[in-house]
Structure formats: structure tokens, C-alpha cells
Amino acid sequence: MIEKNESAVEHRQAPTRAGVFVPAVKAPAPLEEPGDVVKRGSDERLAEAVGLAAAIDLDVLAAEVVSVGKARPATLIGSGKVEELKALVETLELELVIIDHPLTPVQQRNLEKELNAKVLDRTGLILEIFGRRARTKEGRLQVELAHLNYQKGRLVRSWTHLERQRGGAGFLGGPGETQIESDRRQLQEKIKRLEKELDAVRRTRTLHRAKRKKAPHPVVALVGYTNAGKSTLFNTMTGADIFAKDLLFATLDPTLRRLRLAHGTEVIFSDTVGFISELPTHLVAAFRATLEEVIETDLVLHVRDMSHPEALAQAGDVRKILKSLDVDPDDSKRVIEVWNKIDLLDETALTHLQTAGQASDSGVKAHLVSALTGEGLEALLADVESRIAGDASSLNIYVPAQRLNLLPWFYDNSTVVRREDHEDGGVSLALTITDQARSDLRQMSEEHSGLRIE
């Protein structure tokens, strides 16, 4: 028994010692800034990069913004900064250096040689997180495909000083587990195989969507920047119990839940993967099958963390990705703005948001909600139901005794405000019913004699 415990302790690994550095490249501003692009502050970029590192339990011992006058083809940052980082790596005994910026294979390899530590750029770090978070077969396939496309052209055998074997197939595993994948031909063969498997997934999704349309249940997708509170909102609305935590990319695989709204309309809510600035191209391509759910939905809820200092910039990133999916973020009939985390705002900020989110001529501009406390969700769900099934209105109906078998339909598809049972066995109902359900009721009254709309 003692030997077993000692063995367990021996194999338990300490968190990887890491440093996070954000290059602030001084580049001339473009002549024309796209409307959705909002420039981020270096401090906020650094905070997000540290958050990404924390998402995979790295021990971040150093974090700073590195000023870069001009991007260097060989190392991105200047030689003086490289020497400073090298001294820091040696002093803190860092095993991993994260550069929150895209690196070419040459830049990554040169930095690894100079710093004598493993180097990951922003894309590699996000891929590592996705690799940890994927739970379904589809999610794992998508992440693996993105990994392999990223690895093409990168010399994974260049590392010899981090020979420790680790579990998983991520970039922090060291060279031992990536030896086979370093062969380009085998990489390409594996990529082709994964693409075929994902094609099968896409076909399956298409069939599922076709079945849902026959049902038919409208689909409402939740989209937003990572950690905007989508999963918490999803859980509060639907009663689901998917993993939700104050963590970047806490959930990855999409989840669907059916919900009956206040006046009986049934909808399917879909919680999607969180977006992020500079989302790697490999990931966008690999997750196309999942993101197609957003394209096919009846409504899109754009969930925003209004307590975040970069809320506007994050919204710009989401809008950019929605446009790449051919979803118009300015289509107020289909896209609903959901301003979340109002429970974290002070009174002044909340008053300002309430003014900014007030109804316009085309309808509600934005719903202010707290996914944690449930504040504002009733109005949000009422808006969702109104857009899908039409406005709710009052209606009185008489159901004769021989048609009482139809009573469950009224309870399922409307709100029964009042019920009166008559001596002849018939029932009078006062209903609140949507336009869609009212249309179905008219058809029922034609098919079943005795039903009388009063």
C-alpha cells in the first residue's frame, strides 16, 4: 500500500511554470478602420492572455507587455528584448513562454533556441485550451484537425530539453508524443481522414436539422465572447446543468435544450462555443460544422458581458465572426442584444445602460439581464416568444363535453387565465395565446365541431 502511494506522488506533476508576454507592436494605423474594429488596450490584452493561460492551469510567474518598435522577421521582438526575456526565463526557471501574438514557424523556433524554453503563440495556446475542453467525439475531431493544420510547417522535433512525457496530445506534451506527427506525409494523411470524418458529422447535423424543421421547433442560438455568461444564462433559462465557470472557454461543445415558453411555444436553445479576438483561422474552419448551427437558427441572442471594460471591443469581435458566417449582426429582427452581468454594475453604470438599451422604433434595442440572479430573463423570453410565435392576446373559448380530450392542448399551447366548468359538462376558458397558436386553434375549430371561439 505504501509503495502505491509513493508511486502516485511520484507521478503527480507540478503545474508548468510559465511567462505570458504581450507584444505591443507600434504599427502605422490603417487609413480606414472597419466599423466593427475597436482597438484594445495593452493591459486588457495582457489580462486576457493571463486568463487564457489560467484556463489550462499554468503557473504564471511573469506577465508583462513587451514594446516592439518594429516586428522582426526572425524573432518578432528586438534582440534587446529577447535578452531581457532570456534573463527572466533563467531567473524564474520558466518552462513555457507564451507570446500573445501570431508567430511564424521560424520566429517560434528562433525564440525557443534563444530563450531555452518552449514557446507558444496565441493560436497554439487557444488550441491547447480547446484540446483540454473538447468532450464529444465531434469536438475532439475538430480540435485535432485544427492542431494538425497548425502543426504543418512547424518543426516539432526541435525540442530536446523538455523530454518529460505528459498525457494528452497537446503542445505542452513535449517532443516524445509528437515524433510521428512530425512527418508531413503522415500529417497530411491524418488531416484527410479527419476531414472525411467531419464531413460525416456535417451530414448528420444536416439530417438532424431537417428533422427539427419537420417537428417543427424554432432554434435560438446563444453567441458571444468567451466568458460573457452564455452557459450560465443557458442553464438559468433551460434548467440545464452544463459546466459554467468564470473561466475563458469553460465550455466548448454545443448543447441543445428544449424549453416551453410562457404561452406554450416550444423552442430549442443552443449554447455555442465562445468567440475571442483573433480567433485562429484553423479553428474557424474546423468548427464550421458547429457554427453552422448559428447560420440555421431562427433567432440569435448576442450575449455581452457589460461589466467588462472591453465590452465594446468584444462585441466587435463577435460581430466580425457573425458576418463571416453570413449572419447580419445588425438584423434586429433576428439578432437580439442581451446585455448580461448587470448585477456587477454600480447604480450609475446601470442607469446609463438602461438609457442606452431603451426601446427604439423597431423594438427593444437590448435586454439588460443577470444570468446569475435571473433579473430581466422574463422580459427576454417574452420577446423571444413574441418574435417566434407572434404577440400574445386574450381569447375566450368554449369546449363542449364531447371535446374535453382537447383540453391538454390549451394548457400546453397557451396560458389558461381562467376556467369555468358548466353543468352540461362543457368548459369555458379565458386564454392568453400567441398568434401562431391562435392560427392552429382556428384550424382545430374547423376540424372539431362544437369548439366555439367567443
Side-chain angles (χ1 to χ4, degrees):
M1 180 65 70
I2 295 177
E3 290 180 1
K4 184 177 181 181
N5 289 337
E6 287 177 348
S7 177
V9 172
E10 185 180 351
H11 284 84
R12 189 183 300 140
Q13 296 173 354
T16 301
R17 301 167 65 87
V20 177
F21 305 97
V22 175
V25 182
K26 297 177 183 177
L31 296 177
E32 228 176 280
E33 286 280 355
D36 290 334
V37 175
V38 179
K39 191 174 181 181
R40 277 180 165 76
S42 297
D43 290 340
E44 292 303 328
R45 286 180 55 204
L46 181 61
E48 181 175 272
V50 171
L52 288 171
I56 50 173
D57 302 320
L58 296 177
D59 185 10
V60 179
L61 301 178
E64 64 180 69
V65 176
V66 178
S67 180
V68 180
K70 182 181 178 182
R72 306 297 176 91
T75 55
L76 180 66
I77 58 180
S79 56
K81 291 294 182 182
V82 171
E83 288 299 320
E84 290 179 19
L85 291 187
K86 183 177 180 180
L88 191 61
V89 168
E90 291 176 352
T91 301
L92 299 178
E93 298 180 349
L94 301 181
E95 303 168 87
L96 176 67
V97 172
I98 295 169
I99 305 295
D100 189 54
H101 193 279
L103 294 176
T104 66
V106 172
Q107 289 171 339
Q108 182 179 0
R109 187 170 65 253
N110 289 340
L111 284 172
E112 286 180 338
K113 288 180 179 178
E114 292 290 336
L115 302 178
N116 196 34
K118 191 168 182 65
V119 173
L120 278 184
D121 66 358
R122 182 179 178 85
T123 300
L125 179 60
I126 293 175
L127 285 171
E128 180 72 22
I129 296 170
F130 274 45
R132 299 278 186 96
R133 295 284 182 269
R135 291 292 178 267
T136 64
K137 179 183 178 182
E138 177 190 358
R140 290 194 295 269
L141 283 174
Q142 291 174 135
V143 172
E144 189 176 0
L145 178 61
H147 262 293
L148 295 178
N149 277 313
Y150 176 74
Q151 277 185 291
K152 282 195 305 184
R154 295 179 185 266
L155 301 179
V156 295
R157 292 192 187 188
S158 62
W159 263 93
T160 56
H161 81 279
L162 289 179
E163 290 293 341
R164 285 187 304 185
Q165 291 292 329
R166 305 187 189 192
F171 284 99
L172 303 186
E177 61 199 24
T178 56
Q179 289 291 323
I180 297 175
E181 294 175 351
S182 65
D183 184 278
R184 286 178 179 246
R185 181 183 57 80
Q186 292 189 32
L187 272 176
Q188 195 58 45
E189 287 176 355
K190 198 167 186 179
I191 287 171
K192 288 181 179 179
R193 178 179 59 78
L194 289 174
E195 286 175 342
K196 286 182 179 179
E197 291 188 51
L198 279 173
D199 281 339
V201 169
R202 291 187 182 96
R203 287 193 295 271
T204 302
R205 279 189 173 276
T206 302
L207 289 173
H208 287 172
R209 278 196 294 269
K211 287 181 180 179
R212 286 203 298 268
K213 286 179 180 178
K214 288 178 182 177
H217 292 309
V219 180
V220 180
L222 279 68
V223 303
Y225 205 82
T226 180
N227 210 29
K230 296 186 307 304
S231 295
T232 303
L233 181 64
F234 182 85
N235 286 343
T236 304
M237 290 192 302
T238 66
D241 58 353
I242 62 173
F243 181 61
K245 192 176 180 181
D246 184 15
L247 193 69
L248 297 180
F249 295 117
T251 52
L252 176 60
D253 296 303
T255 308
L256 302 177
R257 288 290 186 276
R258 187 169 60 181
L259 177 67
R260 186 183 298 278
L261 299 177
H263 299 302
T265 306
E266 285 195 345
V267 298
I268 294 174
F269 281 92
S270 173
D271 184 27
T272 61
V273 62
F275 298 159
I276 196 169
S277 64
E278 300 174 32
L279 190 66
T281 307
H282 301 312
L283 277 179
V284 176
F287 277 78
R288 184 80 189 187
T290 303
L291 295 175
E292 281 174 358
E293 288 290 337
V294 178
I295 301 173
E296 298 290 334
T297 55
D298 298 86
L299 284 178
V300 176
L301 304 187
H302 177 189
V303 184
R304 296 172 57 182
D305 175 4
M306 302 309 289
S307 69
H308 199 284
E310 295 287 340
L312 189 59
Q314 292 179 351
D317 291 318
V318 174
R319 288 169 58 85
K320 184 178 177 182
I321 295 174
L322 286 177
K323 285 182 176 179
S324 73
L325 297 171
D326 297 322
V327 176
D328 182 6
D330 296 315
D331 182 1
S332 59
K333 292 183 179 179
R334 187 182 178 201
V335 180
I336 302 177
E337 285 273 316
V338 181
W339 293 356
N340 191 25
K341 302 192 182 181
I342 60 172
D343 54 297
L344 300 180
L345 301 177
D346 58 34
E347 190 173 337
T348 303
L350 183 57
T351 301
H352 174 74
L353 270 191
Q354 287 171 337
T355 303
Q358 284 178 351
S360 62
D361 294 338
S362 59
V364 178
K365 184 177 180 182
H367 285 276
L368 277 65
V369 306
S370 169
L372 202 59
T373 67
E375 184 179 354
L377 295 192
E378 185 177 346
L380 171 61
L381 292 175
D383 190 15
V384 168
E385 186 166 30
S386 173
R387 292 174 187 239
I388 289 174
D391 293 329
S393 57
S394 299
L395 178 71
N396 295 318
I397 189 164
Y398 173 77
V399 184
Q402 67 271 25
R403 299 301 181 194
L404 291 184
N405 63 311
L406 299 177
L407 281 178
W409 184 93
F410 293 101
Y411 283 92
D412 289 341
N413 293 277
S414 66
T415 300
V416 178
V417 179
R418 187 178 66 258
R419 170 174 172 162
E420 182 182 353
D421 293 278
H422 300 289
E423 291 183 0
D424 62 0
V427 175
S428 291
L429 300 175
L431 310 172
T432 302
I433 191 168
T434 64
D435 292 342
Q436 185 182 68
R438 184 189 285 261
S439 176
D440 294 338
L441 178 57
R442 287 196 190 97
Q443 186 175 346
M444 284 175 57
S445 63
E446 293 174 3
E447 296 174 355
H448 301 283
S449 60
L451 277 179
R452 187 171 69 248
I453 299 175
E454 300 174 340

